[in-house]
Structures are given as structure tokens and as C-alpha cells.
Amino acid sequence: LAASNGGSFTSPAPTDPSGVTTATFTSTVAGDHNITATINTVGISANATVTVDAAAPATATFTQPPSDVAAGATMVPAVVVHVEDQFGNPATGSVDLAFAVISGSGSFTGTTPQPLVNGDATFSDLSVSDLGGYTLTGTSGSASTGAAGFVVGP
């Protein structure tokens, strides 16, 4: 037995009276895996594709953290949060942002949560109404970016 894209198998069980055997495939690599079999050096023509999903979100990082911005203006470049599972696979799901005031009294606007696409959530419409110091924290499941500060100026 072999699989493209990594993975491992349990030892195949002895064949039953019908000539059928079973084995269990495991992988920490998310994505499609093409499973092939060989018996006594003869390849079996029937192959199978197995899709392994990413595990739960384990790490979240700002790959593009919030930047200082003028009051009421859209933050450019867009904030991007990258999320991976415990095996380093891009996670699926979404990311939510938490807004906190350090100083000032601004209100936060923007679309949140955002879906993860290849492990990235992009927030392209974020703005804050008033001058001050603020933080954003991104979360996906139990994974969190930690707070990233930014200043809203005139």
C-alpha cells in the first residue's frame, strides 16, 4: 500500500476467504491522498482517493497586522490573519476580530468574522471612528493571535 502526499498504513490484515484484506490509513497532511496497492509486485488497477481535513485551529498569527490609520479611513493594507492546525496545515473555518480601546473612544467597523481561504482571513474594510490607541485580536476556535496595537490619528 502506498499514498501520495504522505501518510501511513497499519499492517494489512490477513486476507479473508474472498481474498479481501483491510488496513487503516492515517495522515497529518491535509488534502487529497491517492491510495495505491501492490500484490507480489503487481500493481492493482483500482485506486482510491482519500481526503484528509485539517485538524482544529491551533495557531493564529497576523501576517499583515493592523496599521496606523486616519480616523474614519479604511485600514490599508488589509489586515490578514493566518491560521494553522497542530500539524501546520492551513485551517478551515473563520476568524473573528476583537476590538479593544487603549485610549480614546472610537467605534470599530468592519466585516467580521471572515472566512479562512487557504488558512488566511482577510479583513479589507476595517476602520475606527475616533483618534486614539486600539488593539485587535484575531481568534479562530481556541487559536488566538494575541493583541496587536495601532493608532488612529487625524
Side-chain angles (χ1 to χ4, degrees):
L1 295 171
S4 63
N5 218 8
S8 62
F9 294 90
T10 59
S11 294
T15 56
D16 67 16
S18 301
V20 175
T21 187
T22 59
T24 301
F25 171 73
T26 58
S27 178
T28 59
V29 178
D32 290 340
H33 299 266
N34 186 33
I35 309 298
T36 58
T38 303
I39 299 174
N40 296 328
T41 70
V42 176
I44 305 300
S45 62
N47 296 328
T49 299
V50 175
T51 300
V52 175
D53 294 328
T59 62
T61 56
F62 282 110
T63 53
Q64 179 57 60
S67 55
D68 295 348
V69 64
T74 300
M75 198 172 286
V76 176
V79 171
V80 179
V81 175
H82 184 74
V83 182
E84 293 181 345
D85 70 9
Q86 65 183 353
F87 306 109
N89 297 301
T92 59
S94 63
V95 174
D96 203 0
L97 289 179
F99 174 74
V101 177
I102 297 171
S103 64
S105 60
S107 60
F108 172 75
T109 60
T111 305
T112 183
Q114 285 290 332
L116 287 163
V117 178
N118 296 323
D120 291 327
T122 302
F123 299 87
S124 58
D125 63 350
L126 304 180
S127 65
V128 178
S129 61
D130 295 324
L131 305 178
Y134 305 93
T135 64
L136 288 177
T137 302
T139 57
S140 181
S142 62
S144 176
T145 60
F150 62 99
V151 174
V152 176

